[in-house]
Each structure stands twice: as C-alpha cells, then as structure tokens.
Amino acid sequence: MTSTELKIPAHIAIIMDGNGRWAAARGLPRLEGHRAGTENLRQIIRACVELGVKYLTLYAFSTENWGRPKEEVNGLLTILESVIDHELNELNAEGVRIVHVGRLEAMPKKIRQKVCHSMEKTRNNEKLVLNIAWNYGGRDEIVCALQEIVKAGIPAEKINEEVITQHLFTHGSPDPDLIIRTSGEMRVSNFLIWQSAYAEWYFTPTLWPDFNKEELKKAIDNYSHRKRRFGKL
Ligand code: FPP
C-alpha cells in the first residue's frame, strides 16, 4: 500500500516506550534514551503533518512517573523546557498547535509558564494539534473532570458521556483512532482510558528512539486494513 492509499487516522496517540532500554543497550544513562526519544519526535511530528494527521497525542510523563529517581524526573522536565525554548518557533511556523494535557498545577512554576506561553502562541494554528500529555493519568483525568462538573453545578440527570468528554483534559480533540505503543509492552498504562473506548491499538517491539517515519507508515498501513465496527455489525 502506498501512502496515497493509506487510510490516515485523524488522531494518533503514542505511548513512547523503550527509551531506557535503548540507552541501556548502548551503555548510556537513561536520560540519553529520553533525549534520543525527543530527537526522534522531530521526524514523527513532521511525518504526521505531511500525511495529514490532524491530532497527535504523546504520552510524555505520567502521574506515576513522579516516582522515578529525582535525576530522571528533573531531566525529563529539563527536556520539556528545552523543547519549548528551542523548538517552539519552528513548530509554530509549521502550523502546529500545542496543547498540554494533564494537571499543570503540580509542575514547577517556570515550566508551567513556558507551557502556557507555548499554548497561547500556537492557539490559532490548524495544521496539527499536538497534545502533550505531561503529568497525565487517565484516572486522574476522570477525577478532575468529575470535580469540574460538580463545581459547575451540573445536576446528576444532566451528566452524560458528552458532558464528561467535554470536561476531560483532551476536550477539543476527537477520540484517538490509532494508539501506538512501542517497545513490545502491551499495556494501557492509564493512558486515555476514557477516550480509547473504540481506538485501534498497534504494538511494535521497536524501541521509541528507533520508531521512524517508515515505522509510522507501517502502523498506519496496518490500521488501514482494519475494519472498525464501533460495536455494531
Ligand atoms: C518511556 O520509556 C518514556 C518516558 C517515560 C518518557 C518519554 C518522554 C519523552 C520522549 C520526552 C518527550 C518530550 C516532549 C516535549 C513531548 P521508559 O523510560 O519507560 O523506557 P524503558 O521501559 O525502556 O525503561
């Protein structure tokens, strides 16, 4: 199947797994794996824009990742800061809209401000919505949504799936069509647990830093051959 015959998912979400193993295989510290994984994002974001994907959601830091060694947590936060510092102008010029998905308030103030700035600067871009899930947990997201619904005084009989969807961190993005997890792990890991109800999953043994444009096309090709029924016949 050539790229013109591929059925392009409107929304791809990715669990970028395997950075640590990629680094270990080279005798490098884990953070080098995260750096290589971040570098890899360049080609994947560009490929999504080229292929006409409209939403890309990246699982970059989960609510559980705070439990990793301090050095790794701080290193990941530094990576996020540096991506905003060095890549924002180019992403903006390419028409990418950055959206943070997760609880912002737990993040260090300086980074929070930069994240908010990147969202504000790119808010009118329409080529690709780049949802960055940082301090994100699917269960936490549902708790947060319910808290907002209660605070807004929405009566119980008015709460339906639509109302919950509108109060999730991902509001404004459609449900993901295709979720990719690299590195051979076959778990959901608290990622988009509400939104993934009818997503197609694709698992590959390739470690995230090695997941290139060809691998992305392979995943989309695989997705193109699936018959989605959404519970119907
Ligand atoms: C999982 O691999 C990867 C992470 C927990 C971090 C992913 C984050 C990035 C690539 C940074 C992205 C930056 C932006 C701005 C979006 P792992 O460490 O669990 O790998 P392992 O299972 O091999 O140990």
Side-chain angles (χ1 to χ4, degrees):
M1 202 179 247
T2 67
S3 63
T4 48
E5 293 166 318
L6 292 176
K7 197 161 72 192
I8 304 297
H11 185 172
I12 297 180
I14 309 182
I15 302 181
M16 307 178 288
D17 202 1
N19 295 342
R21 276 163 282 169
W22 184 93
R26 288 159 181 77
L28 296 169
R30 291 179 56 81
L31 265 178
E32 285 307 317
H34 296 314
R35 288 197 189 99
T38 306
E39 191 55 36
N40 187 45
L41 274 173
R42 231 180 256 279
Q43 60 168 321
I44 296 302
I45 294 171
R46 192 156 296 139
C48 284
V49 171
E50 277 168 24
L51 291 166
V53 174
K54 300 309 289 180
Y55 301 84
L56 174 64
T57 301
L58 303 170
Y59 202 8
F61 192 94
S62 74
T63 44
E64 290 71 35
N65 286 156
W66 293 109
R68 292 194 176 198
K70 205 162 183 261
E71 190 192 343
E72 185 168 345
V73 169
N74 288 339
L76 282 165
L77 284 165
T78 304
I79 286 177
L80 173 62
E81 189 177 2
S82 142
V83 166
I84 298 174
D85 287 347
H86 298 109
E87 311 293 337
L88 181 57
N89 284 342
E90 194 176 329
L91 288 169
N92 188 37
E94 284 176 9
V96 175
R97 176 176 180 186
I98 297 173
V99 177
H100 173 258
V101 165
R103 271 194 207 251
L104 255 184
E105 66 266 19
M107 291 162 67
K109 188 165 173 218
K110 185 168 66 143
I111 296 183
R112 218 161 58 213
Q113 285 169 340
K114 290 188 179 183
V115 170
C116 291
H117 168 68
S118 72
M119 289 200 286
E120 186 53 34
K121 188 176 167 100
T122 61
R123 64 198 289 257
N124 294 319
N125 291 344
E126 292 183 341
K127 258 261 169 342
L128 174 78
V129 172
L130 179 64
N131 290 317
I132 300 181
W134 200 287
N135 193 21
Y136 174 87
R139 289 184 172 182
D140 185 51
E141 178 179 41
I142 294 170
V143 168
C144 228
L146 293 178
Q147 287 172 345
E148 292 303 316
I149 289 168
V150 171
K151 276 193 230 157
I154 299 173
E157 64 276 13
K158 289 262 164 58
I159 299 173
N160 53 29
E161 292 186 10
E162 190 51 36
V163 169
I164 293 178
T165 299
Q166 280 166 5
H167 285 83
L168 297 175
F169 296 133
T170 53
H171 65 88
S173 291
D175 285 347
D177 300 293
L178 171 64
I179 306 182
I180 298 169
R181 182 169 191 152
T182 57
S183 91
E185 305 295 351
M186 289 186 234
R187 288 190 287 273
V188 175
S189 297
N190 206 9
F191 186 47
L192 303 179
I193 53 179
W194 174 276
Q195 302 88 332
S196 62
Y198 284 100
E200 297 292 328
W201 282 84
Y202 178 84
F203 299 102
T204 169
T206 304
L207 304 176
W208 172 249
D210 296 327
F211 187 87
N212 58 20
K213 184 176 172 181
E214 282 318 304
E215 296 271 346
L216 177 70
K217 281 191 171 168
K218 219 179 340 169
I220 297 177
D221 182 34
N222 185 288
Y223 165 86
S224 298
H225 289 92
R226 303 210 191 159
K227 195 160 166 40
R228 301 181 79 188
R229 292 197 296 271
F230 298 95
K232 303 183 180 98
L233 292 180

